[in-house]
Amino acid sequence: MGVDLRQVVAGILTLTMFVMLGNMIKRDHFDSITEKLPGDVQDVAKVAEEGLRTIAKLSKGPWLEDGEQLKPCWSKTNFDEIEESRGYVTFSLTNGPEYHVSQIADAVVVARVLRATLVVPDIRGSKPGDERKFEDVYDVNKFIRSLDGVVKVVKELPEEISFRNLAVVKVPNRVTEDHIIENIQPIFKAKGNIRLATYFPSVNMRKSTEKSNADLVACLAMFGTLELQPDVNEVVDSMVERLRTLSRKSDGRFIAVDLRVDLLDNKGCHEGNGRKSCYGAHEIAVFLRKIGYDKDTTIYLTQSRWDSSLSVLKDIFPKTYTKENITPADKKEKFLDSEDSEFEKVIDFYLCSQSDAFVPAISGLFYANVAGKRIASGKNQILVPADISGSSASATDFISPYVLKKNHMAHSCFC
């Protein structure tokens, strides 16, 4: 009798639903994938890990089959009807799509609690003057439709309201209803209109232990509002298809590795609390070989342009590519050759969300929010790198704790 891999995956993930540790993910550090679990839960984790190894044997080499796409736990019927608007909430998206999803979630939660009208944000790059309209990257009509009945959304601030008169309010990522009522609502009542600036005290994508209305609103905002506009989506799809074409020997499968030389050069990148927070090209190459990927494996790197330090990875895996190699020729001028790197960040985020396996060589919010999108779509092969002392190891030993322990926020949002 044949084995249905999806049924096996579903059974294993059902077992691991009991594995819930509350350790917060600290900025610039990976979750420990070797820490002990309390009591009998350790036995459940062992069963899950053994099951994942079985799947690896049933599939080809270290590749794991995707699980089923999860269904949202939220519904607009969960929310009370919105009351008459009391003012406007504005904000900007900054620093790339890994930040955008969190900034959107916080802004929608704030607007909902304040019963305010949300203004569609603009997108700002890291350099002064780097500004884009929301619709240059995302589908603005989808965004507005998805929030219908949750918060009122308008494309622009009314002309009679000046940006200069807006009170700027700092908002911690994953803002709570209590924080909004105590710290933001008094300013909103006094000023009438506010501008939000989200800050990130830590990378906290921990699963919520209790679901509140604010959490459900955040889930909808984070996972149900943002879609790429058609031109951008077409470029991402064509690059994914190109990588699959280059991966014939592995049945069209490829790995995306978030590896950026500029961040690796950061002096504080490799140290902290006894754990490594990032891995270089050589370390990633050795890691992938030891867990079973052969030289014909196709690898996509998030590094924008080829750097000589990456040659050691290409020596071991000749089919290693950056955006330069696989972006359609007629799209390079718009998406690669402009001074603004916003499109490149978008390509990386969505391509890493769609790859067959994802390896975060660098810890942080990119890893956390790509993991969220992958969990929601059933793409659970997220491999956290490590230094392997022996000559080989099982890929399932390095499955992200976000997946194995089901402790990512996405598990609060999807059933």
Side-chain angles (χ1 to χ4, degrees), residues 82-146:
I82 55 176
E83 299 181 14
E84 184 177 351
S85 173
R86 299 179 179 180
Y88 292 88
V89 169
T90 71
F91 67 111
S92 293
L93 300 179
T94 61
N95 300 320
E98 69 270 31
Y99 286 86
H100 296 175
V101 291
S102 294
Q103 291 162 343
I104 288 283
D106 292 327
V108 172
V109 169
V110 170
R112 171 76 182 182
V113 173
L114 298 179
R115 300 185 180 91
T117 295
L118 187 69
V119 180
V120 172
D122 60 355
I123 300 174
R124 301 192 178 187
S126 56
K127 299 177 182 178
D130 284 354
E131 295 183 20
R132 290 187 180 276
K133 293 181 178 179
F134 183 89
E135 53 264 39
D136 289 341
V137 176
Y138 299 109
D139 185 332
V140 66
N141 293 322
K142 155 70 177 179
F143 177 72
I144 295 173
R145 285 196 310 272
S146 66

Side-chain angles (χ1 to χ4, degrees), residues 388-405:
I388 301 173
S389 58
S391 59
S392 64
S394 169
T396 56
D397 291 336
F398 303 95
I399 295 290
S400 169
Y402 282 142
V403 173
L404 191 59
K405 299 175 184 176

Side-chain angles (χ1 to χ4, degrees), residues 122-223:
D122 60 355
I123 300 174
R124 301 192 178 187
S126 56
K127 299 177 182 178
D130 284 354
E131 295 183 20
R132 290 187 180 276
K133 293 181 178 179
F134 183 89
E135 53 264 39
D136 289 341
V137 176
Y138 299 109
D139 185 332
V140 66
N141 293 322
K142 155 70 177 179
F143 177 72
I144 295 173
R145 285 196 310 272
S146 66
L147 292 173
D148 182 38
V150 181
V151 295
K152 183 179 179 181
V153 183
V154 296
K155 291 186 178 181
E156 295 180 349
L157 196 66
E159 292 182 359
E160 63 268 22
I161 301 176
S162 171
F163 275 101
R164 295 180 180 179
N165 296 330
L166 298 177
V168 178
V169 181
K170 289 187 176 181
V171 180
N173 178 229
R174 296 193 70 178
V175 64
T176 64
E177 189 169 354
D178 288 343
H179 181 94
I180 296 169
I181 293 171
E182 293 173 12
N183 300 283
I184 302 177
Q185 192 172 61
I187 301 173
F188 181 70
K189 286 183 175 180
K191 298 293 185 179
N193 307 291
I194 58 175
R195 180 169 179 79
L196 306 181
T198 300
Y199 67 95
F200 294 79
S202 65
V203 176
N204 178 17
M205 285 296 128
R206 183 177 54 184
K207 179 179 179 179
S208 299
T209 54
E210 296 181 5
K211 293 180 183 178
S212 66
N213 283 335
D215 290 330
L216 292 175
V217 171
C219 286
L220 166 62
M222 179 171 282
F223 296 105

